[in-house]
Amino acid sequence: MTFKAVQVREEQGAYQCSVVDKDDFAQPGNGEVRVAVEYSSLNYKDALSAAGNKGVTRNYPHTPGIDAAGTVLASSSDNWKAGDRVIVTGYDLGMNTDGGLAEQIQVPGAWLLAAPDGLDSAEAMALGTAGLTAGLCVEKLQRQLGELSGLKIAVTGASGGVGSVAIALLNQLGAEVTAISGKAQQYDFLQSIGAQHCVAPSMLAEFDKKPMSKPLFDAAIDTLGGDPLANLLKIIQPEGAVACCGLAAGVNINSSVFPFILRGVCLLGVDSVEISQQRKADIWQRFAEQWKLDDAAWSALLTEITLDEVPDYLARFLEVSVSGRIRVKL
Ligand code: NDP
């Protein structure tokens, strides 16, 4: 028997992406579990994998997809049985292990999480790793600052997957959100998901040459790294915080110590990949309950595509012509 999967092949240094029929996995052993994937989603890392980024995926042919939600088909793990509803994100899924852009995955049982009641596979993959990461950023800000209601919070890379879920969630929690986005044509979209203000990243570049500047925000969620993050730190209120989760603009931060020693600003690192299953489960549970995003936010945020449309979407992802969240229905 076969199943359908996206496959990226390396041909003379170029990377070709298509949908192929793959042979079924061998019977799972050594604690592995086979999952029928109902929904997956597209993330920045999938686009890097499809583009041949060896920091993400070393060997091709390869099936990307760092997200999957579905039902256990077969299990050699004592913890899982056929029919269990599960979510798989992080670890090596979609990197050097064939990923969720396929009708089936086979992975170590330790990578699986039970899907919480109140969050079906479709809702879980509307969020995906991007949503999980946005949730982890919000949770870190809450731990540091307490209630976020009424706080002025900036979100960079605002129209992307992490940024857009962060905006919708912060808005639902009562924060005054400023979306910092390079896409002026997406400002209507950003306002529709809850941004009160939209500004261009050039607003941050104004602080390039200044050691510090007048505080404008209580907190921020940064998906960009690089100079935008360094400049953001200069305009955070005393005792404020910045959750840092991404590197879309760069991996190095050229910052002085002034934001930290003159204003007590906290830089909070966020990882969604290797954190404990308990922390992931806690965030999914929140999205199933008190953080459930309303239908109006989802109707603006979410695009659903089929597996056949994935190669085209992955090719456009890094050109920054995709906004919000892309869910893939298997
Ligand atoms: P997306 O591609 O969906 O969004 C990234 C956004 O950043 C774009 O939409 C664009 O927003 C902006 N952007 C992209 N390239 C540049 C650039 N060169 N310079 C400035 N802005 C740019 O990615 P995700 O939202 O999925 O991920 C965002 C970041 O978070 C990535 O770096 C990703 O690797 C990281 N990440 C980290 C995780 C973790 O565990 N720490 C988990 C998930 C993601 P706009 O046009 O609106 O400015």
Side-chain angles (χ1 to χ4, degrees):
M1 293 283 282
T2 62
F3 64 91
K4 291 205 176 304
V6 168
Q7 190 178 64
V8 180
R9 295 172 313 285
E10 185 174 7
E11 287 168 12
Q12 294 166 342
Y15 293 86
Q16 309 294 338
C17 185
S18 61
V19 177
V20 300
D21 290 314
K22 287 174 79 170
D23 289 335
D24 271 353
F25 292 104
Q27 203 53 25
N30 298 323
E32 281 186 328
V33 179
R34 188 182 313 158
V35 176
V37 181
E38 291 159 6
Y39 289 91
S40 180
S41 86
L42 298 191
N43 290 276
Y44 189 80
K45 222 185 230 176
D46 302 324
L48 292 179
S49 174
N53 185 305
K54 297 280 166 128
V56 177
T57 301
R58 284 187 301 275
N59 299 310
Y60 297 83
H62 171 69
T63 295
I66 64 170
D67 283 338
T71 308
V72 171
L73 281 175
S75 171
S76 66
S77 158
D78 292 341
N79 297 327
W80 304 102
K81 60 179 188 321
D84 286 345
R85 288 196 323 111
V86 296
I87 300 172
V88 192
T89 66
Y91 301 105
D92 194 46
L93 185 70
M95 294 180 67
N96 292 295
T97 301
D98 281 337
L101 294 170
E103 289 172 338
Q104 293 183 18
I105 56 170
Q106 189 154 308
V107 296
W111 295 5
L112 273 55
L113 268 179
D117 290 340
L119 196 74
D120 62 24
S121 295
E123 290 171 302
M125 290 296 102
L127 292 158
T129 290
L132 176 69
T133 305
L136 286 161
C137 289
V138 167
E139 185 232 27
K140 279 234 164 155
L141 291 181
Q142 285 178 327
R143 277 206 238 172
Q144 186 64 30
L145 303 174
E147 275 284 314
L148 302 183
S149 177
L151 296 192
K152 293 186 167 125
I153 304 185
V155 178
T156 62
S159 71
V162 178
S164 56
V165 176
I167 289 169
L169 179 55
L170 289 168
N171 175 58
Q172 206 156 292
L173 295 174
E176 181 181 332
V177 186
T178 296
I180 302 180
S181 172
K183 297 191 198 87
Q185 71 276 21
Q186 294 294 343
Y187 285 3
D188 285 347
F189 158 67
L190 293 167
Q191 280 163 352
S192 76
I193 61 172
Q196 275 93 334
H197 317 281
C198 296
V199 296
S202 55
M203 168 263 195
L204 292 176
E206 279 176 31
F207 308 113
D208 272 349
K209 297 212 162 59
K210 297 189 179 171
M212 293 286 272
S213 194
K214 188 174 147 226
L216 298 177
F217 304 111
D218 297 298
I221 291 179
D222 178 63
T223 68
L224 300 182
D227 291 341
L229 173 56
N231 285 331
L232 207 42
L233 289 166
K234 299 172 188 173
I235 51 171
I236 299 295
Q237 290 282 1
E239 299 301 315
V242 177
C244 152
C245 70
L247 46 64
V251 293
N252 295 318
I253 319 167
N254 184 15
S255 171
S256 75
V257 297
F258 292 141
F260 312 115
I261 66 171
L262 298 183
R263 291 194 182 144
V265 170
C266 279
L267 182 57
L268 308 168
V270 171
D271 165 44
S272 70
V273 179
E274 297 287 343
I275 52 167
S276 71
Q277 291 290 63
Q278 187 50 52
R279 287 216 51 221
K280 289 184 191 176
D282 175 49
I283 299 295
W284 290 120
Q285 190 67 44
R286 290 180 191 219
F287 275 117
E289 294 173 353
Q290 70 267 37
W291 285 359
K292 206 175 236 310
L293 297 179
D294 60 33
D295 291 345
W298 278 129
S299 69
L301 256 175
L302 187 63
T303 304
E304 182 170 290
I305 64 172
T306 63
L307 201 62
D308 288 330
E309 293 174 280
V310 167
D312 176 49
Y313 269 80
L314 281 177
R316 287 162 45 204
F317 212 85
L318 294 180
E319 296 162 14
V320 198
S321 62
V322 174
S323 295
R325 290 285 300 137
I326 313 292
R327 179 170 66 196
V328 182
K329 186 172 176 19
L330 277 306

